Amino acid sequence: MKPLRLAIAAALLAAATAAVAVVTLQRHVRAPFQGYEGAHMDVVVRPRMPARQIADLLEEAGVVESAALLTGWLWWTERSGDVQAGEYRFVGPTSVLEVTEVVTSGRVRLYSVTITEGSTRWQVAEAIAAAGFGSYEAALVATGRIDLIEDLDPVADTLEGYLFPETYLAPRSDDAEDLVVRMVEAFHQVWTPAYQRRAAELEMSVRAVVTLASLIEAETLTPAERPVVSGVFHNRLARGMLLQTDPTVIYARHLAGREGRTIYQSDLRRDSPYNTYLYPGLPVGPIGNPRLASVDAALLPADVDFLYFVSRNDGTHAFSQTLAEHNELVDRYQR
């Protein structure tokens, strides 16, 4: 019986030792550590990097005190294969337990890209490039992915109008095309069946609605004025009048390779399907990417009799029903 008692004692000792080891391990992995100077440390984990190499990288960066401890914890919890590639930011003292959760759940650092309401696709490409998600040229090419919108606008030749303005957060591993896809997806989300039904009631295509919304966006930044400006445009379209809106002329000039916002007589005479001083109806497509409120205004114009409006040079406009009234207002505010 003595050998049996010895075996039992040995087993109990081994179990106790293992239990102590586990408790000690858990205490160590919960202990916060910061071995770097400053408020944070950024670490990039490359694709297919082994767990041990990742642990060494984090030790060298001062994120963890012991690479062996992190490696052992990843092995113990069977998460060595769960570490995801990406750029990670660690802020202040962090425990091995917290580090493990960050790198295995893919909580990578996100960067913001803000697309301003009314931006043209060239400006969208500039914003993407400025945020570090590729070159301007690559971003501009991505804004030509018309396959992304063919279900709503089969005649689109670019994604102008459908690059929904918003602030997007993305990991550095994303590129310009990834962001453009998200912008178009955001437009799809806001263009609900209710919007589709309202457009059908007005006998307007999605392209027509977005084009009109882009004109409203370009003409006024005052929320209360958007439905009124829309009402003016709807009234002029119903009467077959030229829209004569300056932003379309500026857009046509940009297409011709000329910059600046000062409008010359030569611009008003420029033969372009976007020139609403020459061609009646809406321009052939959007001249920017409007916010949802401008789309709302395009679909829900104010019930007004106005046919004209002129800027007061303070962010608001003066509206009128007759050309004579309009000319008086132009003399007052513009000349």
Side-chain angles (χ1 to χ4, degrees):
M1 296 296 292
K2 189 174 181 180
L4 178 59
R5 287 198 298 271
L6 289 174
I8 293 173
L12 290 174
L13 179 61
T17 303
V20 170
V22 170
V23 170
T24 302
L25 177 62
Q26 291 179 339
R27 185 173 68 251
H28 283 303
V29 298
R30 284 183 169 84
F33 173 78
Q34 179 178 343
Y36 54 85
E37 296 181 358
H40 63 265
M41 174 59 66
D42 295 331
V43 177
V44 177
V45 174
R46 303 296 180 190
R48 295 178 296 281
M49 186 179 285
R52 178 66 203 202
Q53 188 176 346
I54 295 169
D56 289 339
L57 179 67
L58 291 168
E59 181 183 309
E60 291 171 9
V63 175
V64 298
E65 186 174 12
S66 168
L69 179 61
L70 176 57
T71 304
W73 182 250
L74 288 170
W75 174 82
W76 177 264
T77 56
E78 299 181 344
R79 305 183 75 178
S80 297
D82 297 336
V83 179
Q84 299 184 38
E87 180 181 356
Y88 295 92
R89 168 162 287 186
F90 300 94
V91 181
T94 313
S95 69
V96 167
L97 189 64
E98 292 169 328
V99 170
T100 299
E101 289 303 314
V102 169
V103 299
T104 58
S105 62
R107 262 185 269 162
V108 296
R109 184 181 177 191
L110 300 178
Y111 294 81
S112 65
V113 181
T114 298
I115 306 304
T116 307
E117 295 86 350
S119 295
T120 64
R121 71 187 188 97
W122 302 289
Q123 292 167 326
V124 169
E126 289 172 354
I128 291 173
F133 288 93
S135 68
Y136 168 80
E137 291 75 17
L140 190 61
V141 168
T143 67
R145 283 279 312 273
I146 56 175
D147 58 294
L148 298 174
I149 202 67
E150 61 186 0
D151 57 328
L152 294 180
D153 186 354
V155 301
D157 54 358
T158 71
L159 293 177
E160 191 77 276
Y162 304 104
L163 302 166
F164 194 71
E166 183 63 87
T167 294
Y168 297 88
L169 297 176
R172 187 57 77 202
S173 56
D174 280 5
D175 60 16
E177 191 165 305
D178 293 322
L179 286 164
V180 166
V181 168
R182 287 181 59 190
M183 293 173 198
V184 178
E185 287 175 345
F187 180 86
H188 275 89
Q189 290 172 3
V190 300
W191 186 259
T192 63
Y195 281 82
Q196 189 71 56
R197 288 192 295 271
R198 177 56 182 162
E201 290 173 3
L202 295 174
E203 298 183 348
M204 297 178 71
S205 66
V206 180
R207 185 175 185 80
V209 172
V210 176
T211 298
L212 179 54
S214 72
L215 303 188
I216 297 167
E217 183 71 51
E219 285 288 7
T220 183
L221 295 176
T222 305
E225 283 192 354
R226 291 189 190 109
V228 183
V229 170
S230 178
V232 171
F233 286 143
H234 275 278
N235 290 342
R236 292 179 76 92
L237 289 169
R239 289 165 174 76
M241 298 173 64
L242 293 170
L243 292 184
Q244 296 183 321
T245 174
D246 291 352
T248 63
V249 175
I250 295 172
Y251 193 84
R253 184 172 58 191
H254 185 91
L255 286 172
R258 291 189 56 202
E259 303 300 331
R261 297 190 64 81
T262 301
I263 296 176
Y264 302 94
Q265 285 298 319
S266 59
D267 296 316
L268 299 179
R269 295 191 297 268
R270 186 182 304 280
D271 188 8
S272 167
Y274 286 92
N275 187 347
T276 55
Y277 280 84
L278 285 182
Y279 294 96
L282 291 168
V284 293
I287 62 169
N289 295 280
R291 73 188 79 199
L292 187 59
S294 294
V295 176
D296 289 338
L299 291 170
L300 298 168
D303 186 10
V304 294
D305 295 326
F306 300 134
L307 291 172
Y308 307 91
F309 60 89
V310 62
S311 172
R312 293 193 179 100
N313 298 315
D314 63 357
T316 66
H317 295 80
F319 297 86
S320 54
Q321 298 180 27
T322 67
L323 182 58
E325 289 178 296
H326 176 65
N327 288 336
E328 289 179 7
L329 292 170
V330 169
D331 285 335
R332 182 187 309 174
Y333 294 111
Q334 297 296 318
R335 293 175 185 165

